[in-house]
Amino acid sequence: MQTVETLNEGLKRAFTLTITAKDIDAKVDVELKRLAPQMKMPGFRPGKVPANLIRKMHGPALTQDALNAAIQESVQTLVAEKQLRPAMQPSVELEDGYDLGKDAVVKVEMEVLPQVPAPAIDGIKLERLTVPVADDAVTEQLQKFADQQKKWDDAADDYVAAMGDLVTVDFAGKTADGVAFEGGTGTDMGVELGSGRLIPGFEDQLVGVKTGDDKVLNVTFPEEYQEKSLAGQPATFDITVKSVKTAGESKIDEDLAKSLGLESLEQLTGLLKGQIEQEHNGLTRTHMKRKLLDQLAEGHDFEVPPSMVEAEFNQIWSQLQHEATHEADPEAAMAEMEGERDDYRKIAERRVRLGLLLSEIGQANGVEVSNQEMQRLLAQAAQQYPAEQRQQFMQYVQQEPMAAAQLRAPLYEDKVVDFLFEKAEITDREATREELEAAIESEDGFASGTHTHDHDNHKPKKKAAAKKAKPASDEAASDDAVTDEAAASDATEEAKPAKKAPAKKKAAPVEAETAVTESSPVAAENAEGAEAADAPAKKPRAKKAPTKTEG
């Protein structure tokens, strides 16, 4: 193989490889010797077909396979000999006009990973906001459990419904023109008055009804209602009251704990306190991690491969587009996103740079994900698939280096972050949960005022829409901005069709708390969990990701 470098500019590299016809033919001979003992042909005993006859019949196919193998080996040899670290899968193109049996000229183009300067990890100072678990918070959770377990008692026929009661109704909705609309009709729907689960005015107008009453409710759909034809429009609901029930007393006692399968109220209280403490610890870690990443980003600035930035931006943009489709006004959400495109691209660049930094820190300090940890990750990921496909998924990950690298990346990043926490000078300050959450959500709270440019933040100043989740922050830096190890693995992976992992199982539908499904126009727009937004499928670099089904 002859190698000529044709481009060496910044992180871009290009080469021309010439693979001689002699080398290709030698591979054909090797393949002929392998196949000859297996060949069967009329007039010859099995395994005795002459090699020249096999070449005559299958020569073009064998030569094509040999050429593909030679190109693959040549690219791998190029990467190894030149000590290249491709950022993404190299572009490999056979020169036009190639004829079988002649020398093959191959163009190889790639971007390489930058030489990351030794990260400055000494002198990192972090503040750890700690939130003690208040007794009131535990009591509030206990009360919620008690309310969920409360029993409903039938009221007398002449009982007048009040806030807090459960009214079961049949309903039929109509527009102002008297036309029934889709999803506006239902039977035996339980409405807990005062719960706020239904559109404004619906529950309030049921106060004062009795069993057997017929009533017409006049409502106006919210301006941001998901069904555009109804948004902001007046409507009526013909109601028939089937029953009225009153809530029994909600008690926080030993019976409550036992109804939940626990031995005592003390055990339930302890579990709830531990759960709240775990939530607080998670928030504390998120805050510290963001401040840590801010310091790393501020202290390091180096060129990053445009192809990696583009892949990361596409990942973020795809997620945002998906979320915009679930907004009350998708077109407006998309328009705002377009106005912030440059900001999101800067976020992508920052995340790629942080991913490379964390990888460099981890490799320089011996941070590793053990085989045991990897097997645990694999087993956990396999649970997302139907039982009969889990083995297939595990084989897929074991055979596809990039799939394994993506599975490993989040844990690897967390281990690097933990290493940096150990190196950092940390001061503790007690705060309330509200203060901690505000610090996480504030634009410059992530770095305690260390940002010097708007684009250094984790998100643009304005969100694309009120409900839209901001793009995944830099906590996922090494997951989406692939590590050196993952990039190198991808670049040298054999050029063969990627194996498909099994499709993930669909998530079980969330049960509606009433007889009306969350998609019904009666359902409140602000009911949390009304729609499960499907996360966009993630793709291993230059490989097919496991197929995901919507759930």
Side-chain angles (χ1 to χ4, degrees), residues 1-2 17-33 55 58-74 94-95 97-106:
M1 179 185 72
Q2 299 174 358
L17 310 180
T18 302
I19 306 170
T20 65
K22 182 179 178 181
D23 289 339
I24 296 171
D25 199 52
K27 288 186 177 296
V28 174
D29 288 338
V30 171
E31 187 65 8
L32 282 171
K33 291 178 182 178
R55 181 187 286 270
H58 303 286
L62 291 172
T63 302
Q64 185 63 58
D65 289 344
L67 173 62
N68 291 340
I71 292 175
Q72 181 185 114
E73 290 180 9
S74 298
L94 182 63
E95 193 173 70
Y98 171 74
D99 293 324
L100 291 178
K102 295 185 178 180
D103 292 351
V105 179
V106 180

Side-chain angles (χ1 to χ4, degrees), residues 149-226:
Q149 299 297 316
K150 65 186 173 185
K151 298 179 181 179
W152 296 99
D153 300 322
D154 291 327
D157 290 344
D158 60 350
Y159 176 80
V160 176
M163 282 295 178
D165 291 341
L166 181 67
V167 179
T168 302
V169 300
D170 294 344
F171 62 93
K174 300 175 185 177
T175 63
D177 298 331
V179 179
F181 48 83
E182 185 178 356
T185 302
T187 59
D188 296 326
M189 179 180 73
V191 183
E192 185 176 350
L193 305 188
S195 66
R197 293 193 179 98
L198 304 184
I199 55 179
F202 194 99
E203 296 172 19
D204 294 341
Q205 295 178 65
L206 290 178
V207 173
V209 300
K210 301 189 297 292
T211 300
D213 280 357
D214 292 320
K215 187 172 183 178
V216 177
L217 308 186
N218 295 288
V219 298
T220 300
F221 284 98
E223 292 289 345
E224 68 277 10
Y225 197 71
Q226 60 186 5

Side-chain angles (χ1 to χ4, degrees), residues 228-408:
K228 289 185 178 180
S229 63
L230 297 175
Q233 298 300 309
T236 62
F237 283 92
D238 296 332
I239 298 295
T240 297
V241 180
K242 305 289 284 293
S243 69
V244 178
K245 296 184 179 183
T246 57
E249 185 180 357
S250 300
K251 294 183 179 180
I252 300 175
D253 55 15
E254 297 293 332
D255 289 339
L256 171 63
K258 291 176 181 178
S259 71
L260 297 170
L262 301 176
E263 294 181 356
S264 65
L265 180 59
E266 181 181 1
Q267 184 184 13
L268 174 58
T269 302
L271 288 173
L272 288 176
K273 185 174 182 179
Q275 182 181 9
I276 296 171
E277 188 173 41
Q278 189 174 8
E279 291 174 1
H280 290 175
N281 290 341
L283 292 172
T284 295
R285 179 181 172 83
T286 295
H287 180 242
M288 282 182 62
K289 186 174 180 180
R290 288 182 173 178
K291 293 205 297 183
L292 170 66
L293 294 177
D294 280 335
Q295 290 189 42
L296 287 176
E298 188 177 87
H300 302 86
D301 186 17
F302 52 87
E303 185 180 8
V304 294
S307 59
M308 292 180 73
V309 174
E310 185 66 22
E312 183 61 32
F313 171 77
N314 289 338
Q315 174 82 13
I316 294 173
W317 200 250
S318 176
Q319 177 183 340
L320 293 173
Q321 286 179 318
H322 180 85
E323 291 167 352
T325 62
H326 291 79
E327 294 293 336
D329 189 345
E331 292 182 4
M334 287 296 298
E336 279 202 57
M337 280 171 51
E338 287 294 340
E340 297 168 346
R341 180 182 285 269
D342 290 343
D343 291 325
Y344 284 116
R345 191 170 293 280
K346 290 170 183 175
I347 290 172
E349 180 178 336
R350 170 189 165 103
R351 287 178 62 177
V352 169
R353 185 174 290 110
L354 282 169
L356 295 174
L357 274 171
L358 291 174
S359 177
E360 186 71 19
I361 293 169
Q363 292 182 35
N365 293 279
V367 177
E368 294 180 348
V369 174
S370 68
N371 289 334
Q372 184 178 4
E373 290 171 327
M374 191 61 194
Q375 288 303 312
R376 186 163 58 249
L377 285 175
L378 187 56
Q380 291 171 348
Q383 295 302 311
Q384 300 176 65
Y385 294 84
E388 66 275 9
Q389 294 183 348
R390 289 171 190 167
Q391 187 61 35
Q392 181 186 347
F393 167 75
M394 295 178 77
Q395 290 176 351
Y396 164 80
V397 174
Q398 290 166 352
Q399 294 170 6
E400 296 293 341
M402 279 311 301
Q406 282 225 317
L407 191 61
R408 181 190 301 110

